[in-house]
């Protein structure tokens, strides 16, 4: 019977009566622990902020600020200038050259009509809502003309086609001081016996 060399560090195979169990190959029978799953990525701070209670507060603040702005005249003017075209009544530029009756500008208009020395019963009308003026002749004849002009602005002329009265279309006036001149001009050789007659008014006139 032979014995293993004490200097040999190799291991002899186990015999059939040996109940020892050789270690199994870890790559075959053993189960390695699974790697932990990757944690979900953290959303950016701004996304968390916009999805939390702060987002609701922010939205309420914006809506409140917008509503507050609309409730002021300045806010109303800004919104109109941004989203709306100029309208008449409301904007003299939009009213310029238009019929005051068709635009509803006569509803709030004041009138300047001298009672003495006014052969054609000439008058000037001024609407603050429409930011415009126009002239009217009440005692003329066909062919007679009525004119209105604003210093630094436009001039409008209308002619009596029949009957005895006629009015011009509107002329826009600036915000603040203005001067307007209206004239009644008889038709040469016509029925009217008065000569050219003019009146003037300003924003400070006693409009009635």
């Amino acid at each position: 019977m032979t014995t293993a060399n004490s200097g040999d560090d190799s291991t002899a195979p186990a015999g059939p009566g040996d109940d020892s169990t050789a270690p199994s190959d870890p790559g075959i029978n053993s189960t390695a622990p699974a790697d932990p799953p990757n944690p979900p990525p953290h959303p950016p701070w701004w996304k968390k902020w916009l999805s939390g209670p702060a987002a609701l507060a922010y939205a309420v603040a914006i809506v409140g600020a917008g509503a507050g702005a609309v409730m002021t005249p300045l806010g109303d003017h800004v919104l109109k200038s941004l989203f709306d075209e100029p309208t008449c009544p409301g904007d003299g530029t939009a009213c310029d050259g238009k019929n005051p009756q068709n635009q509803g500008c006569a509803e709030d208009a004041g009138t300047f009509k001298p009672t003495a020395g006014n052969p054609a019963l000439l008058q000037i009308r001024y609407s603050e809502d429409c930011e415009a003026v126009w002239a009217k002749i009440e005692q003329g004849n066909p062919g007679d003309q009525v004119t209105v002009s604003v210093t630094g602005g436009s001039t409008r002329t209308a002619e009596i086609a029949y009957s005895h009265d006629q009015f011009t279309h509107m002329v826009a006036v600036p915000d603040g001081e203005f001067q307007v001149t209206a004239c009644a001009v008889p038709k040469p050789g016509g029925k009217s016996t008065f000569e050219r007659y003019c009146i003037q008014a300003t924003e400070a006139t006693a409009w009635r």
Side-chain angles (χ1 to χ4, degrees):
M1 179 174 68
T2 60
T3 59
N5 187 354
S6 59
D8 187 1
D9 56 0
S10 63
T11 304
D18 190 352
D19 58 356
S20 63
T21 303
S24 59
D25 185 353
I28 299 176
N29 297 325
S30 63
T31 302
D35 293 333
N38 293 329
H42 293 286
W45 65 268
W46 55 268
K47 190 170 290 187
K48 291 177 62 178
W49 187 79
L50 288 179
S51 62
L56 179 59
Y58 185 64
V60 170
I62 291 178
V63 172
V70 172
M71 294 301 291
T72 65
L74 177 60
D76 184 57
H77 176 74
V78 170
L79 287 179
K80 284 185 177 180
S81 64
L82 288 175
F83 301 109
D84 296 335
E85 292 293 327
T87 59
C88 182
D91 189 294
T93 303
C95 294
D96 193 83
K98 293 185 178 179
N99 186 313
Q101 290 186 348
N102 293 347
Q103 300 299 317
C105 297
E107 295 179 5
D108 79 303
T111 302
F112 170 63
K113 181 171 68 173
T115 56
N118 189 352
L121 296 183
L122 178 66
Q123 62 181 262
I124 301 173
R125 307 210 70 196
Y126 167 48
S127 168
E128 289 190 38
D129 288 347
C130 296
E131 299 177 351
V133 294
W134 61 97
K136 181 178 181 180
I137 184 174
E138 294 183 310
Q139 191 169 297
N141 288 285
D144 293 348
Q145 292 184 338
V146 56
T147 68
V148 62
S149 61
V150 172
T151 302
S154 304
T155 298
R156 304 292 174 193
T157 301
E159 183 176 301
I160 299 176
Y162 57 89
S163 189
H164 300 285
D165 62 328
Q166 184 59 277
F167 61 88
T168 69
H169 284 184
M170 293 183 284
V171 176
V173 295
D175 185 17
E177 298 181 356
F178 64 83
Q179 180 172 304
V180 52
T181 301
C183 295
V185 184
K187 176 184 178 180
K191 294 182 179 180
S192 294
T193 58
F194 62 84
E195 297 180 354
R196 178 187 177 94
Y197 172 74
C198 298
I199 58 177
Q200 288 186 333
T202 69
E203 78 288 344
T205 296
W207 302 96
R208 303 183 182 278

